[in-house]
């Protein structure tokens, strides 16, 4: 009897160690996902803050819109795919165009009408970007980790599947018998 218990002790310890290792791996993976989410969300907030500042002030003069967008663009290089960095680069170019037009508008020139048009075209374009930016960031912001079910929950789910399969089999047999 003691030999059987001694023989079962080693596999039991191995299973316990494997389970603990798996749980530690899941915890580390969840922590990495959360850390990435927080960094990516900070970039998203900077982009949205820039867009809101420009829409609210009708331009970027005297706002932190350029600084926020540049910081978001700089950090996006390593946290997102190329499409996000490219899109933020385009938005940064529009902000630069707005700021250039605003600076040129301070001087009296015959191009004043063109400068005003450039500024307001840029402001209008950025005002319409908020939803498309959210859609661009969304795939990177999803946290797909699910809660691990308990053994009882897993067994109950398997039983429901088994019962539903059994019901289908009975219905199929009932249909065959009635024909």
């Amino acid at each position: 009897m003691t030999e059987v218990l001694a023989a079962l002790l080693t596999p039991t310890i191995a299973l316990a160690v494997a389970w603990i290792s798996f749980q530690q791996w899941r915890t580390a993976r969840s922590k990495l996902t959360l850390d990435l989410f927080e960094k990516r969300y900070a970039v998203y907030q900077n982009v949205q803050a820039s867009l809101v500042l420009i829409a609210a002030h009708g331009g970027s003069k005297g706002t932190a819109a350029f600084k926020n967008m540049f910081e978001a663009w700089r950090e996006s290089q390593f946290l997102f795919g190329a499409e996000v960095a490219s899109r933020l680069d385009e938005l940064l170019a529009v902000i630069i165009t707005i700021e250039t037009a605003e600076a040129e508008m301070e001087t009296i020139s015959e191009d004043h009408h063109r400068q005003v048009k450039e500024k307001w075209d840029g402001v209008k374009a950025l005002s319409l970007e908020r939803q498309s930016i959210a859609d661009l960031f969304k795939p990177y912001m999803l946290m797909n980790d699910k809660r691990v079910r308990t053994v009882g929950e897993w067994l109950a789910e398997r039983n429901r599947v088994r019962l539903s399969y059994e019901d289908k089999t009975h219905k199929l047999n009932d249909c065959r018998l009635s024909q």
Side-chain angles (χ1 to χ4, degrees), residues 172-179:
L172 187 64
N173 287 337
D174 291 343
C175 288
R176 286 182 186 158
L177 291 175
S178 66
Q179 291 178 355

Side-chain angles (χ1 to χ4, degrees), residues 101-134:
E102 286 175 341
E104 290 176 353
M105 286 169 53
E106 290 178 358
T107 63
I108 299 174
S109 71
E110 61 236 19
D111 287 344
H112 187 74
H113 180 68
R114 179 192 55 81
Q115 295 160 351
V116 170
K117 182 175 178 357
E118 280 182 5
K119 174 188 173 182
W120 288 110
D121 287 347
V123 170
K124 182 179 175 184
L126 291 179
S127 296
L128 300 173
E129 287 290 323
R130 284 199 331 267
Q131 185 57 47
S132 64
I133 288 298

Side-chain angles (χ1 to χ4, degrees), residues 88-171:
L88 295 184
D89 195 29
E90 292 169 9
L91 297 178
L92 196 56
V94 173
I95 292 174
I96 290 171
T97 301
I98 292 170
E99 288 188 351
T100 304
E102 286 175 341
E104 290 176 353
M105 286 169 53
E106 290 178 358
T107 63
I108 299 174
S109 71
E110 61 236 19
D111 287 344
H112 187 74
H113 180 68
R114 179 192 55 81
Q115 295 160 351
V116 170
K117 182 175 178 357
E118 280 182 5
K119 174 188 173 182
W120 288 110
D121 287 347
V123 170
K124 182 179 175 184
L126 291 179
S127 296
L128 300 173
E129 287 290 323
R130 284 199 331 267
Q131 185 57 47
S132 64
I133 288 298
D135 293 338
L136 181 66
F137 276 73
K138 208 173 278 185
Y140 295 97
M141 306 300 280
L142 299 176
M143 296 180 68
N144 295 329
D145 285 353
K146 296 180 181 175
R147 182 179 68 83
V148 177
R149 294 180 295 180
T150 64
V151 174
E153 291 170 337
W154 183 82
L155 289 172
E157 172 64 26
R158 298 310 314 153
N159 194 36
R160 276 193 296 278
V161 169
R162 182 187 60 80
L163 289 174
S164 67
Y165 176 75
E166 186 177 318
D167 290 343
K168 289 177 187 174
T169 306
H170 284 300
K171 287 179 184 177

Side-chain angles (χ1 to χ4, degrees), residues 5-7 13 16-17 24 26 28 34 36 42 47 49 52 73 85 96 103 107 119 130 135 155 162-163:
L5 290 176
I13 291 172
V17 168
Q24 287 178 334
R26 284 195 76 250
L34 181 62
L36 272 175
V47 171
V52 166
W73 172 81
I96 290 171
T107 63
K119 174 188 173 182
R130 284 199 331 267
D135 293 338
L155 289 172
R162 182 187 60 80
L163 289 174

Side-chain angles (χ1 to χ4, degrees), residues 1-8:
M1 179 70 165
T2 56
E3 293 173 2
V4 172
L5 290 176
L8 290 176

Side-chain angles (χ1 to χ4, degrees), residues 39-55:
K39 289 180 181 194
R40 288 173 173 168
Y41 191 69
V43 170
Y44 173 75
Q45 284 181 314
N46 276 342
V47 171
Q48 290 291 4
S50 291
L51 297 177
V52 166
L53 281 171
I54 288 173

